[in-house]
Amino acid sequence: MSHSDSILCTLCPRRCGADRSLRPGFCGLGTEMRIARIAPHLWEEPPISGTRGTGAVFFSGCTLRCVYCQNGDISHRNAGRAFSPRALADSLKRLEDLGVHSISFITGTPFVPQILETLSLYRPNLPLVWNSSGYETVETLKMLEGVMDVYLPDLKHWSSRTGALCAKAPDYFEAASLAVAEMCRQTGLPAYNDEGIMIRGTLIRHLILPSLTGESLKLLTWIRDTLPAGTPVSLMRQYLPCNDVRIPELQRRITEREYARVLSHMEALELPGFLQEAEAASSDFVPLFNRDGSFV
Ligand code: SF4
């Protein structure tokens, strides 16, 4: 079935059942693929970005839409423009010609059928990375099995209260825990090429939130207890109050003490992975997007 046919969308755990050919779903997206930016991107983890960057495709919209999102223009307000699968395939070729190490599909869940159509037209000879909020269904991930080489999911909220408060998703952890387990099943443990670029595997990101370090500890323990030993974790400390966040606890950066608490827990669990430099907790490092975006 082509993406332009009338179907009731259940691509993400919202399963809102919208007929997107008639009206957008919770994510605000119709059936036309929309993209906010396509460009080399240097600011992911070293095995994703390397020295020449990942070819990043930032899709418009998001199925999670956290209240504190740093990219609110894209995720909440769907900045971007329409792309056909053919036009995206041509852009992927241009990214490859620029010498990037990998191609990253960022928050592409509402457009999985269109992305598969794109890759049937042109499949870059590079690792393909699925960069996601972690809020995915196993059914949709199975559509990507054998297509994506690397999964880069966030694992954000532990309690249903926090999922509801931050993203109107009380089922966040229920869905994301099944999703990251499925990602690990598909990819197995990470493998790297001679340049240190991940060519296969799942790398889990966790952003520490102010006042919520207890959730961070539970999530890290869950990773250690549940996922295959050796699954790497990227611990991120760059939280900035963005997007006019109204929740008082989230209107500040994390403290050194909060960071140290989570870091020492991660070390005690002997989880492998990556840490973010303190300097990255600066608005200078928040990608800026304008209405017209930027495209290769
Ligand atoms: S991808 Fe969008 S339309 Fe589809 S189920 Fe999720 S929120 Fe609803």
Side-chain angles (χ1 to χ4, degrees), residues 68-89:
Y68 51 77
C69 182
Q70 292 188 345
N71 294 327
D73 276 349
I74 296 180
S75 61
H76 290 241
R77 294 176 282 283
N78 295 351
R81 65 174 169 85
F83 263 72
S84 67
R86 167 52 64 194
L88 177 56

Side-chain angles (χ1 to χ4, degrees), residues 193-215:
N193 67 14
D194 292 345
E195 294 182 302
I197 300 299
M198 194 180 284
I199 54 174
R200 195 158 177 79
T202 297
L203 167 56
I204 298 172
R205 286 174 156 171
H206 176 65
L207 174 67
I208 306 168
L209 295 174
S211 316
L212 289 168
T213 51
E215 298 225 339

Side-chain angles (χ1 to χ4, degrees), residues 85-270:
R86 167 52 64 194
L88 177 56
D90 291 345
S91 294
L92 298 185
K93 176 82 173 62
R94 283 195 289 279
L95 285 171
E96 191 176 26
D97 291 344
L98 287 171
V100 295
H101 292 282
S102 57
I103 299 287
S104 291
F105 299 89
I106 301 169
T107 62
T109 307
F111 301 119
V112 164
Q114 294 92 324
I115 292 167
L116 293 175
E117 189 179 339
T118 299
L119 293 170
S120 75
L121 297 171
Y122 183 71
R123 202 284 185 203
N125 187 26
L126 292 170
L128 302 185
V129 181
W130 189 252
N131 178 327
S132 150
S133 66
Y135 194 52
E136 304 275 15
T137 69
V138 170
E139 293 82 358
T140 297
L141 291 173
K142 284 186 189 296
M143 295 166 72
L144 300 171
E145 185 166 9
V147 177
M148 294 297 150
D149 303 295
V150 174
Y151 285 107
L152 186 58
D154 286 317
L155 194 56
K156 291 169 175 283
H157 308 131
W158 171 265
S159 68
S160 55
R161 179 184 172 277
T162 304
L165 193 67
C166 291
K168 296 195 179 83
D171 64 336
Y172 174 81
F173 180 72
E174 191 184 326
S177 56
L178 293 173
V180 295
E182 169 64 13
M183 293 172 186
C184 290
R185 182 196 70 74
Q186 287 187 20
T187 65
L189 287 176
Y192 302 88
N193 67 14
D194 292 345
E195 294 182 302
I197 300 299
M198 194 180 284
I199 54 174
R200 195 158 177 79
T202 297
L203 167 56
I204 298 172
R205 286 174 156 171
H206 176 65
L207 174 67
I208 306 168
L209 295 174
S211 316
L212 289 168
T213 51
E215 298 225 339
S216 296
L217 305 193
K218 287 176 177 152
L219 289 165
L220 292 174
T221 301
W222 179 86
I223 290 169
R224 197 276 313 268
D225 289 348
T226 313
L227 300 180
T231 302
V233 175
S234 175
L235 188 63
M236 304 192 294
R237 64 185 302 180
Q238 89 271 33
Y239 177 82
L240 278 173
C242 286
N243 207 33
D244 291 331
V245 61
R246 303 279 160 81
I247 300 168
E249 293 87 340
L250 296 178
Q251 289 173 337
R252 63 170 174 84
R253 294 180 180 177
I254 65 166
T255 63
E256 285 298 324
R257 194 170 166 178
E258 286 174 321
Y259 178 63
R261 181 175 184 228
V262 180
L263 178 58
S264 71
H265 189 67
M266 182 166 158
E267 288 172 343
L269 294 171
E270 299 184 349

Side-chain angles (χ1 to χ4, degrees), residues 9-12 14-18 20 25-27 29 63 109-110:
C9 186
T10 56
L11 284 168
C12 86
R14 306 268 180 206
R15 292 188 171 90
C16 69
R20 289 165 52 193
F26 176 93
C27 58
L29 299 161
T63 59
T109 307

